[in-house]
Amino acid sequence: MDFSSLKGFELGKLVLSSGLLHSSWNKISELRASRAHQVQTPGLGIKIFQETKYTVVVFVAPPINLSCPLNSASTILSGTQDQNPFHFLCSEKISFSLHTPAFQLFVSAYNNNLLHLKSKLLHLLESKEHVIITGAALGGSVASLFTLWLLETVEPTLKRPLCITFGSPLIGDAKLQEILENSLRNSCFLHVAYASQTPINTDFKPFGTFLICFDSECISIDDPEAVMELLGGTNTDQVVGLIDYGKVLDRLDQTVMEDSRLMIDDIISRMDERAEKKKLRYDQLKKLNDIKISMIYIEWYKKKSKMEKTGYYDRFKTHLASSVSPFDIDIEKRKREVNDYWRSLVDEVEKKPQSEKSLLKTRSLFSGNNYRRMVEPLDIAEYYHNGGREYRASGRSRHYVMLEKWFKEEKIEPVRCVKRDLSDLLTFDSCFWSEVEEALMVSKCLKTQDGEREVLLRKVVRFEEYVWEMIRKREVSPEIFLEKSSFMKWWKEYKEIIKGFHSSHFTKFMNDRMYESYGQAC
């Protein structure tokens, strides 16, 4: 069975009834006992046990006292693969911290033992064998790190390993928890913890499923905040690694796990509330269908504005200056709604591990590109209405930047058919209107300033070249040539500025009114 397909409760119940917990603990005890007779055993111990139905890999480590500040420290991970073995869990915005003693033990064995072990286990998984990775206390923490590292190279078609830990310190901060909570990796971890004897450091957060044991009862949950509430940590000396989980397991009555009487009512209530919030938070792609309704309204707003020979960019700008109609007010509300959705979705994508972004990106890629080209001009209108300057460099929201970047990374070539009707085309460069606004400001300066005239002229000529390139490639909407548009206002001013000393393909195109047939089907 692929343990990663099970929910938290199901995983705990299955493993408890299967005998895997007792088997794992017995092998940990066996390796500990063999190391106890050795003269020097300061570091990490690793042993592979080949069973009939599965392979067990055991990690053991010396006990640590969490009251020592060094043993509760964290190490921030970021950077490239050479600097960070867990680089694949980082994202463009987020790094995370790991429990320093566990990370140091992992690094110490990385080159000598773990690379070879990883290769061997991948071969076993490819042979359809079950793999259990286990450890207690600090050994369990290293087992968790190794499992995270191994999972990155396990093909989706293979069975995933199951990591079982006993009384192990939490290994990652809130950022790591956030990265893993909606990941398949999260379902590959079962942490057995004796409630009254498991010290908790609030700087670290749980992930995976927890089988929390009481005197003769247990409960399996995967709600991180409930785990933190249920683990009390009354062990005053905080020495991790001395609890005999064999005795804890012997006392368990597995039938108790079939109801939740152990769960205090207010804890259950808070779990339900968090589950509902999480459902709303991660149901963004389903909400996309609702957002499309608002996009339809904005598309209609665009068509209606075109009928008035204004263009929706300039109509929205006029609305901001003095509200025109309830329809305009509704469009402003819908703009905020779709912006909130896409900002939230982009933020969630950026928080995901690099290796898990592509699916979400692909599913919403074209909708995001259409949204950016349709709605960003309205944000630009609002930005310049409020007195902004240099939108592309200083005012652009990051979510637009990322949507554009991701779309370009897919290397999708737009269809540019010479015979195609462009009447409904959205301008390829969603920042086009910011360039128009900047050009208008330059034209205004040219009328009043003589000293910087050459510099200003170079700027406005660069804008002309930018526009002509888009016209030539048929990447700009015919709407820019509407009589009342800001672009036509700029052209009238520019034509007077360059009159008698500058001509180009663009000026000929405009002076000969060739733009009147631009975008028409041939």
Side-chain angles (χ1 to χ4, degrees):
M1 175 175 287
D2 184 358
F3 297 106
S4 65
S5 65
L6 298 174
K7 294 181 179 179
F9 175 82
E10 296 169 339
L11 176 62
K13 184 177 179 181
L14 174 66
V15 174
L16 184 60
S17 62
S18 69
L20 275 177
L21 295 184
H22 284 281
S23 175
S24 298
W25 177 256
N26 290 339
K27 288 171 175 53
I28 292 169
S29 300
E30 181 182 332
L31 181 55
R32 279 181 167 179
S34 66
R35 281 167 57 89
H37 295 96
Q38 297 176 15
V39 178
Q40 292 183 334
T41 56
L44 187 67
I46 306 171
K47 186 172 181 179
I48 298 175
F49 293 84
Q50 194 70 53
E51 300 291 299
T52 304
K53 295 183 178 180
Y54 49 82
T55 298
V56 181
V57 181
V58 178
F59 289 79
V60 297
I64 60 169
N65 191 325
L66 292 182
S67 62
C68 172
L70 179 62
N71 290 332
S72 298
S74 61
T75 300
I76 298 176
L77 296 189
S78 60
T80 63
Q81 183 173 355
D82 294 337
Q83 303 166 316
N84 173 12
F86 300 95
H87 65 97
F88 53 87
L89 289 174
C90 294
S91 71
E92 293 166 0
K93 287 179 68 176
I94 294 177
S95 57
F96 58 89
S97 297
L98 292 178
H99 181 231
T100 297
F103 181 64
Q104 288 177 340
L105 273 176
F106 177 87
V107 171
S108 70
Y110 182 84
N111 289 322
N112 294 332
N113 299 321
L114 299 187
L115 287 170
H116 175 70
L117 177 62
K118 181 181 185 180
S119 176
K120 185 170 184 176
L121 294 186
L122 285 173
H123 178 71
L124 290 174
L125 291 169
E126 288 167 359
S127 302
K128 310 298 183 183
E129 293 198 30
H130 293 293
V131 172
I132 309 297
I133 300 168
T134 191
L138 187 58
S141 299
V142 180
S144 292
L145 289 178
F146 176 78
T147 304
L148 279 176
W149 182 57
L150 174 65
L151 282 169
E152 173 58 15
T153 49
V154 176
E155 294 293 331
T157 55
L158 301 180
K159 289 182 172 63
R160 292 177 177 82
L162 174 65
C163 179
I164 301 174
T165 72
F166 296 86
S168 297
L170 304 178
I171 63 167
D173 63 2
K175 295 297 184 183
L176 179 62
Q177 180 197 77
E178 191 174 356
I179 289 168
L180 295 175
E181 68 175 329
N182 205 41
S183 167
L184 280 175
R185 295 180 179 91
N186 203 42
S187 57
C188 297
F189 295 86
L190 178 66
H191 307 287
V192 184
Y194 189 34
S196 64
Q197 297 291 313
T198 304
I200 292 297
N201 183 335
T202 55
D203 291 336
F204 299 101
K205 303 298 178 184
F207 64 84
T209 299
F210 274 73
L211 186 65
I212 299 178
C213 307
F214 299 85
D215 288 340
S216 60
E217 302 166 322
C218 68
I219 187 162
S220 179
I221 55 174
D222 56 10
D223 183 293
E225 293 185 41
V227 169
M228 295 294 282
E229 292 181 50
L230 288 169
L231 293 180
T234 58
N235 187 358
T236 55
D237 61 11
Q238 291 198 317
V239 175
V240 177
L242 301 180
I243 299 172
D244 184 352
Y245 273 87
K247 294 180 180 179
V248 174
L249 295 174
D250 289 339
R251 292 199 301 266
L252 288 184
D253 177 2
Q254 68 186 69
T255 60
V256 176
M257 200 172 64
E258 296 182 2
D259 68 47
S260 55
R261 286 175 294 173
L262 286 171
M263 299 292 286
I264 304 169
D265 288 343
D266 62 341
I267 293 179
I268 294 175
S269 176
R270 287 195 291 276
M271 284 177 64
D272 290 341
E273 289 174 9
R274 288 192 293 271
E276 189 60 30
K277 289 179 181 177
K278 186 176 179 180
K279 180 181 176 183
L280 291 172
R281 180 180 174 191
Y282 289 105
D283 208 22
Q284 296 280 36
L285 289 171
K286 291 182 181 178
K287 190 181 176 186
L288 180 57
N289 290 328
D290 298 330
I291 292 300
K292 285 179 179 177
I293 296 174
S294 287
M295 288 295 292
I296 290 170
Y297 274 90
I298 297 174
E299 286 174 16
W300 171 241
Y301 180 76
K302 180 177 182 290
K303 291 179 180 179
K304 187 175 179 181
S305 302
K306 184 179 178 181
M307 295 174 193
E308 299 172 3
K309 300 188 182 301
T310 302
Y312 80 121
Y313 173 79
D314 286 285
R315 173 168 177 160
F316 192 76
K317 215 167 54 162
T318 303
H319 153 68
L320 293 171
S322 57
S323 185
V324 176
S325 70
F327 186 41
D328 293 278
I329 295 171
D330 180 63
I331 291 301
E332 187 174 2
K333 182 186 78 172
R334 292 184 183 279
K335 178 179 81 74
R336 286 196 299 268
E337 179 186 16
V338 296
N339 277 342
D340 288 345
Y341 167 79
W342 282 104
R343 283 194 184 98
S344 176
L345 183 59
V346 169
D347 187 54
E348 292 301 329
V349 173
E350 288 199 285
K351 289 175 183 176
K352 284 184 169 291
Q354 293 174 11
S355 56
E356 292 185 13
K357 286 182 182 179
S358 57
L359 176 62
L360 184 60
K361 248 186 351 184
T362 300
R363 290 172 67 185
S364 55
L365 192 64
F366 287 95
S367 295
N369 191 54
N370 186 63
Y371 150 77
R372 175 180 61 83
R373 288 163 59 181
M374 173 75 77
V375 177
E376 188 168 12
L378 303 183
D379 281 340
I380 291 169
E382 187 171 352
Y383 180 79
Y384 283 95
H385 170 73
N386 293 331
R389 298 283 300 265
E390 298 182 352
Y391 170 84
R392 201 188 287 266
S394 305
R396 197 181 191 200
S397 173
R398 177 177 174 82
H399 80 288
Y400 285 131
V401 176
M402 299 313 298
L403 285 172
E404 183 174 10
K405 176 188 174 189
W406 292 336
F407 189 79
K408 287 180 178 178
E409 285 175 349
E410 294 298 319
K411 298 179 180 177
I412 301 169
E413 286 296 325
V415 178
R416 295 186 181 90
C417 179
V418 176
K419 298 182 180 180
R420 177 188 168 194
D421 177 32
L422 301 182
S423 57
D424 293 325
L425 178 75
L426 292 168
T427 299
F428 282 30
D429 184 0
S430 55
C431 292
F432 171 80
W433 289 105
S434 69
E435 301 293 343
V436 173
E437 295 289 353
E438 295 295 327
L440 280 166
M441 285 187 263
V442 172
S443 296
K444 184 178 179 181
C445 290
L446 278 167
K447 294 177 182 177
T448 57
Q449 296 181 17
D450 292 327
E452 298 180 0
R453 187 171 179 81
E454 290 301 319
V455 175
L456 294 171
L457 276 173
R458 282 197 295 271
K459 285 184 179 180
V460 82
V461 169
R462 276 199 300 270
F463 173 67
E464 174 201 318
E465 293 168 349
Y466 157 78
V467 175
W468 176 244
E469 183 67 8
M470 287 201 294
I471 292 171
R472 189 183 64 80
K473 290 182 176 180
R474 294 168 63 85
E475 292 182 351
V476 68
S477 169
E479 282 189 13
I480 73 168
F481 303 116
L482 290 172
E483 182 182 341
K484 300 177 185 177
S485 80
S486 293
F487 177 78
M488 292 305 286
K489 178 184 176 183
W490 167 81
W491 162 244
K492 290 169 187 174
E493 294 179 359
Y494 181 59
K495 183 166 64 171
E496 292 302 315
I497 291 169
I498 61 169
K499 190 175 182 180
F501 76 89
H502 175 73
S503 64
S504 63
H505 291 296
F506 172 75
T507 56
K508 178 175 174 55
F509 177 86
M510 296 300 293
N511 284 323
D512 293 349
R513 303 182 72 87
M514 294 166 65
Y515 59 82
E516 292 179 352
S517 60
Y518 170 79
Q520 294 179 4
C522 301

